[in-house]
Amino acid sequence: KQEVTQIPAALSVPEGENLVLNCSFTDSAIYNLQWFRQDPGKGLTSLLLIQSSQREQTSGRLNASLDKSSGRSTLYIAASQPGDSATYLCAVIQGGYNKLIFGAGTRLAVHP
Amino acid sequence: DAGITQSPRHKVTETGTPVTLRCHQTENHRYMYWYRQDPGHGLRLIHYSYGVKDTDKGEVSDGYSVSRSKTEDFLLTLESATSSQTSVYFCAIGLRSEETQYFGPGTRLLVL
């Protein structure tokens, strides 16, 4: 059974720091991996999607990498801002019908 | 934002009563999903649909049933609500397999 783990569970950093969020998964047979953002009391917003054949994806200050063989992904946030404060969720797709398997998330707080 | 609405947004009910949550989309997406989110567990898939009247179970389907009689509506029913079903329920839609999903705003359900 696929298990997705995110470390750390919570992170508090000062504004301007570069930071790395980690995601690991136990079964490397995945179709893709996605990173989502969730603001308190809100739904999820997709940030980056990495296909299994890709190594990384970039969007603005965000960069996500994927190493399928080791079962790891990292989300790099450059020059963090208070507006980046949210919970970041990692999810993999395995099997048909695009079913997502989520990690428990990393709660990020960026303070001025 | 993708056109996804969930109703009700908040509900308080008593143990043993039936509850139906509705997900409505205006995007004509083929795939629809119901997830629940609990502290420490991330999101877990309850049921999903890959077309009208085509549904299947997810990871945590016990105590839940679903129906999809039209492309735009996906209903989640708790036949006899229990306190363990207190959670936040999210609906999601997807156009094609291996692509990102779009999430609704969620329904907070409290079972007393």
Side-chain angles (χ1 to χ4, degrees):
Chain A
K1 176 186 173 186
Q2 176 77 267
E3 293 185 0
V4 180
T5 303
Q6 292 188 246
I7 295 173
L11 185 62
S12 180
V13 300
E15 181 177 6
E17 265 199 19
N18 301 324
L19 52 96
V20 175
L21 307 183
N22 296 294
C23 172
S24 62
F25 46 95
T26 56
D27 186 345
S28 62
I30 62 172
Y31 286 139
N32 65 42
L33 183 143
Q34 299 183 53
W35 284 93
F36 292 87
R37 170 183 171 138
Q38 185 177 28
D39 293 292
K42 304 290 187 181
L44 279 67
T45 301
S46 179
L47 296 174
L48 291 165
L49 183 153
I50 312 175
Q51 301 286 357
S52 61
S53 58
Q54 298 175 319
R55 297 281 294 182
E56 65 179 294
Q57 282 285 337
T58 298
S59 176
R61 294 182 294 108
L62 305 179
N63 175 276
S65 67
L66 173 64
D67 184 342
K68 262 186 58 175
S69 61
S70 67
R72 294 184 180 182
S73 176
T74 60
L75 178 66
Y76 176 83
I77 303 177
S80 58
Q81 303 170 359
D84 295 329
S85 298
T87 296
Y88 291 82
L89 294 154
C90 165
V92 300
I93 289 183
Q94 185 178 44
Y97 303 114
N98 213 19
K99 295 174 286 183
L100 290 166
I101 302 170
F102 283 86
T106 293
R107 189 168 63 254
L108 172 65
V110 181
H111 49 86
Chain B
D1 290 343
I4 312 171
T5 57
Q6 293 185 230
S7 58
R9 293 292 315 280
H10 302 272
K11 186 170 183 66
V12 180
T13 191
E14 293 186 351
T15 298
T17 60
V19 176
T20 295
L21 308 183
R22 180 183 184 230
C23 177
H24 179 77
Q25 62 148 326
T26 58
E27 306 295 325
N28 200 35
H29 281 21
R30 176 183 178 188
Y31 300 97
M32 297 186 77
Y33 311 83
W34 278 107
Y35 295 89
R36 61 177 288 175
Q37 185 174 31
D38 304 290
H41 287 279
L43 279 79
R44 292 178 291 176
L45 182 65
I46 305 171
H47 280 280
Y48 63 98
S49 170
Y50 45 94
V52 174
K53 298 186 179 178
D54 291 323
T55 66
D56 206 347
K57 297 178 180 180
E59 177 188 3
V60 290
S61 60
D62 287 349
Y64 302 95
S65 62
V66 291
S67 66
R68 191 172 179 195
S69 59
K70 299 184 290 185
T71 299
E72 57 266 35
D73 289 325
F74 193 31
L75 303 180
L76 177 70
T77 297
L78 290 66
E79 302 291 345
S80 178
T82 68
S83 58
S84 65
Q85 293 176 312
T86 292
S87 187
V88 181
Y89 292 85
F90 287 99
C91 173
I93 64 174
L95 180 58
R96 283 179 285 273
S97 189
E98 301 177 23
E99 292 190 357
T100 192
Q101 296 179 16
Y102 300 95
F103 283 77
T107 294
R108 291 187 175 274
L109 176 67
L110 174 61
V111 183
L112 299 175

